[in-house]
Amino acid sequence: MEKPISLFTVTLLFLLFNQSLAIPGTYNILELGAKPDGKTDSSKSLLSAWAAACGSTKPAAIFVPKGRYFVKQAQFLGPCKNRAICFRIDGTLVAPSDYKAIGNADFWLQFQRVDGVSIRGGILDGQGTGLWGCKASGKNCPTGTTTLGFTNSNNIAIAGLTSLNSQLFHLVFNGCNTVKLQGVKVSAAGNSPNTDGIHVQYSSGVTILNSKISTGDDCVSIGPGTTSLWIENVLCGPGHGISIGSLGKDFEEEGVQNVTVKSVTFRNTQNGAMIKSWGRPSKGFVKDVLFQHATMINVQNPILIDQNYCPDNINCPAQVSGIKINDVTYQDIHGTSATEIAVKFDCSKKNPCSGIRLEDVKLTYKNQPAKTSCANAAGTTLGLLGINSCL
């Protein structure tokens, strides 16, 4: 039998872990001039820490102690000399309260061409409420900036991070491979415009686990070029659901495939499991998608395929979607719909949906079986259903 670890050993390991923050290879932004007062710009301190960590040939850490640190804007550029840089954030990074300061920038915090970066803990406060108010008033406002973006990066791990009140999207992954998000929390008002929680496009091997997303747009939006995406144990609401799309905005567009969404709860959302494409020509596609073990609580459109998306009726009226959708399975989906039609497949006349499978779907509206609606959709229905299937 192995000898049990003593209390002395556990205590020693704990002390050594804390002392590691002071050894070479760990860069404390306080020691580099940052001020935890929420007012003094700490951008230079944060970027100095990044320059040192990125230039190190050994694994490195950047430490943000407790406190509020104002960061006007920061761009973390690679490639670096090592592939193991950890941000340990015990405090809060705060964006400018004046939305005009960065409202026309693509990102507030952005990583480009990095490999092996991890973020542990912390709060990112995008302070987007001012911009939301501007947009609601109908004034001429900036588009807004995304809180955190990773572009052309690999082997990214984010755990325990909270994103608050982003001006625009909260987290964006574009052109990335092997990304794991766990225990992420996204929070913005239900009426905040275009504040998608997590957006993924042109990326492969992204995993989103054990997260809670409350926002004014899609909880997770899945753009073109996304492959091998796994989403599990996510609470979504308020928001617009988990959406593949919108796709087909461009004619030359990569497809979406091998997507799994399981054990997700949608609460008071506009949509649940959604696939959306523009009603105009495109070479894109959607295939090999599984929505499994989902709970719907007062969701307006629990299951939706909309291939006639045409905002403001511009550049798409009287056209049909070129996106080909096939092999999409909805398995063990249950709960309540806020509308009479809980399942709606509005597919392309030119490229009808095929291989759609409804398995063990039980959705009710006002304590009665909900209805389904199909246009240009073909597939199968299996299991005990609380709905009248139109397939």
Side-chain angles (χ1 to χ4, degrees), residues 104-306:
N104 288 315
D106 291 334
F107 297 94
W108 172 37
L109 307 172
Q110 184 187 26
F111 291 83
Q112 285 192 49
R113 300 184 303 277
V114 300
D115 191 346
V117 167
S118 62
I119 300 175
R120 298 286 183 263
I123 299 172
L124 307 179
D125 186 351
Q127 299 215 98
T129 54
L131 180 60
W132 308 342
C134 177
K135 290 181 176 181
S137 71
K139 297 178 182 178
N140 186 18
C141 314
T143 302
T145 185
T146 290
T147 288
L148 176 64
F150 282 85
T151 304
N152 299 328
S153 298
N154 301 320
N155 302 307
I156 307 302
I158 299 176
L161 178 69
T162 297
S163 178
L164 301 177
N165 300 331
S166 182
Q167 288 187 9
L168 206 65
F169 291 16
H170 286 257
L171 284 75
V172 169
F173 299 89
N174 179 25
C176 296
N177 295 291
T178 314
V179 177
K180 184 174 182 180
L181 296 91
Q182 188 162 5
V184 169
K185 181 179 179 181
V186 170
S187 181
N191 62 353
S192 56
N194 303 117
T195 53
D196 293 43
I198 300 170
H199 178 74
V200 181
Q201 65 180 26
Y202 300 106
S203 296
S204 178
V206 177
T207 302
I208 303 169
L209 304 174
N210 309 324
S211 296
K212 181 179 180 180
I213 304 172
S214 305
T215 190
D217 210 298
D218 297 334
C219 291
V220 181
S221 54
I222 303 161
T226 299
T227 62
S228 301
L229 171 65
W230 188 282
I231 301 170
E232 185 173 1
N233 194 23
V234 170
L235 176 60
C236 170
H240 293 182
I242 293 179
S243 175
I244 297 177
S246 56
L247 303 176
K249 186 175 182 180
D250 299 319
F251 180 72
E252 296 287 346
E253 189 175 275
E254 293 184 27
V256 173
Q257 61 184 323
N258 192 18
V259 174
T260 298
V261 180
K262 65 183 297 185
S263 303
V264 174
T265 298
F266 300 91
R267 184 187 299 272
N268 300 321
T269 54
Q270 183 183 93
N271 308 299
M274 179 170 66
I275 301 174
K276 179 172 65 174
S277 70
W278 286 69
R280 61 189 192 194
S282 176
K283 291 184 177 180
F285 63 85
V286 176
K287 66 178 182 180
D288 300 329
V289 176
L290 172 64
F291 294 101
Q292 183 184 58
H293 309 320
T295 300
M296 307 286 176
I297 303 172
N298 194 42
V299 176
Q300 293 180 39
N301 302 292
I303 296 175
L304 175 64
I305 295 179
D306 177 9

